[in-house]
Amino acid sequence: MIISSDFDSGNIIFLRERNGQDIDLEIRKDSNSDFFQWFYFKASELEPGTEYSFHITNAGKSSYPEGWKIQNIPFSEDGKNWKRVKSHFQNGILSFSLKPIGESAEFAYFVPYQLDRHKKLIETAKGSSLFHNHIKGKSADNRDLDLIHLCNGKEAKKKVWILARQHPGESMAEWFMEGLIERLVSKSDSGIELFKEAELFLIPNINPDGSYLGNLRSNARGANLNREWDRADPERSPEVLFALQQMDEYGVDICLDIHGDEDIPYVFGSGAEGNPGFNEKLAEIDSTFRSNWQEINPDFQMEFGYDRDDPGKADLSLCTNQVSQRYNCFALTIEMPFTDNHNDPDEEFGWSPEKSMKLGRSSVDAILSILPMI
Ligand SMILES: [Zn+2]
């Protein structure tokens, strides 16, 4: 039996094997940071039909230990189709077992979204007649940071920004972007309507280093990018600096920042209501967007989520708050569950890439519905 994680998005430390069937593992910390929770590894040279139990022995010390209580683990035996295996969290150890059909299996905190798929996504966007420009930034480790500008050729008044994976372990955010981009380039009716009024600026993965390195929340320098928007730095957080420079150049009327949440088993939004510049108009756009989206796709809901910020108490280092304040625009953080949507539970797949993509597709209609208010 061999455990490996030396590949794109991989993260695990092999500790020991007991009785040939119990495997003790640890999650490695993010680069230059104490965060850890994301893992992704492959087990190979397995005996088909034998039950193996995997134990992540430092799960209780991870960044969001409460999340393990509701988390069943995504696994795949062919690298393509992912299901969930029951997991148990006891005495700080996360355990799950599998009787493999074949000789290998892989396990991850969420279904990974790797660089080769990212590259295909960028090519899909570039192949569209709506493609206008591919603006390349650079990450701290000099990886490409892709910004795709889509428009119908005529300059539109409204600039819509959607970015994902500030927290690289939240791979559902890039599955969301894939659904969104496919919908946009398919020239659906609402897609065509949208481009009459708006241009889109899309950053499907704003943290390519952290994604490749198998981090949960940090970039290669250990920065939590979603705490850098009031202090973006060319050494520490060039990814955020790049996004802000481009936003300054083109302007922002709507911004969605796509995430996953470890603890809350629902899809929800988190707004800029604590900003000093938050006003009645922004509040009305915010609540209209949320209730319309809920009607369009009930996976999005408004009952569960984070506590709302008190007026004037917003943390302006967060993307949503900084962007809303800086451009006096509507901005919203979108959170999807790692585990499942408890309004529509699915024991076999949990919250999945398919549901993330569906949410991404449906966001087009929700954005379209508020354009007259912008
Ligand atoms: Zn996040």
Side-chain angles (χ1 to χ4, degrees), residues 166-167 170 217 226 258-260 335:
Q166 289 203 72
H167 298 141
E170 296 160 9
R217 282 175 84 75
N226 205 23
I258 316 301
H259 288 254
E335 299 281 354

Side-chain angles (χ1 to χ4, degrees), residues 48-291:
T50 299
E51 183 165 86
Y52 293 87
S53 296
F54 302 89
H55 310 282
I56 298 185
T57 59
N58 63 347
K61 297 194 180 95
S62 72
S63 302
Y64 301 93
E66 289 295 307
W68 301 119
K69 292 181 182 167
I70 48 174
Q71 174 76 24
N72 287 330
I73 299 303
F75 78 99
S76 174
E77 295 204 63
D78 61 6
K80 286 192 203 113
N81 298 295
W82 290 75
K83 291 183 180 179
R84 298 238 173 191
V85 64
K86 210 117 213 86
S87 64
H88 306 275
F89 182 59
Q90 217 170 17
N91 303 324
I93 299 173
L94 180 79
S95 300
F96 44 92
S97 301
L98 185 74
K99 240 185 231 184
I101 299 164
E103 291 176 358
S104 69
E106 48 194 292
F107 303 86
Y109 187 41
F110 196 81
V111 179
Y113 198 106
Q114 292 171 292
L115 191 56
D116 51 355
R117 193 167 187 117
H118 169 85
K119 285 181 177 162
K120 277 186 204 147
L121 181 60
I122 297 300
E123 289 312 310
T124 299
K126 289 173 77 169
S128 157
S129 59
L130 292 164
F131 172 72
H132 186 65
N133 201 3
H134 179 195
I135 306 164
K136 273 191 201 173
K138 284 291 176 187
S139 67
D141 274 355
N142 215 31
R143 287 190 172 85
D144 285 346
L145 209 177
D146 299 306
L147 164 60
I148 295 289
H149 180 186
L150 300 179
C151 69
N152 72 359
K154 300 178 198 109
E155 194 177 343
K157 286 201 299 277
K158 293 156 190 175
K159 318 290 179 190
V160 180
W161 288 74
I162 306 175
L163 57 100
R165 291 190 90 179
Q166 289 203 72
H167 298 141
E170 296 160 9
S171 54
M172 64 286 280
E174 197 161 4
W175 289 106
F176 175 108
M177 294 301 287
E178 183 172 314
L180 167 73
I181 288 173
E182 280 185 352
R183 173 80 187 274
L184 290 174
V185 305
S186 74
K187 293 196 178 159
S188 61
D189 291 351
S190 46
I192 291 167
E193 276 303 304
L194 185 68
F195 284 100
K196 283 185 185 163
E197 296 279 327
E199 317 179 21
L200 271 86
F201 298 85
L202 307 169
I203 308 181
N205 185 351
I206 196 169
N207 195 343
D209 293 346
S211 304
Y212 190 85
L213 294 165
N215 290 349
L216 177 74
R217 282 175 84 75
S218 311
N219 74 351
R221 300 288 171 271
N224 173 357
L225 294 185
N226 205 23
R227 297 295 182 277
E228 294 282 318
W229 288 75
D230 61 345
R231 66 198 71 167
D233 176 87
E235 296 297 320
R236 184 175 157 77
S237 47
E239 300 88 353
V240 172
L241 191 63
F242 167 74
L244 278 171
Q245 284 166 346
Q246 298 302 322
M247 287 176 171
D248 282 350
E249 177 159 349
Y250 290 98
V252 185
D253 295 297
I254 295 175
C255 180
L256 301 181
D257 178 23
I258 316 301
H259 288 254
D261 185 89
E262 291 80 357
D263 293 329
I264 301 176
Y266 299 96
V267 178
F268 58 96
S270 175
E273 69 282 346
N275 274 358
F278 197 69
N279 55 37
E280 251 173 58
K281 185 185 170 201
L282 292 177
E284 199 190 332
I285 297 169
D286 181 300
S287 68
T288 305
F289 181 78
R290 295 191 207 213
S291 56

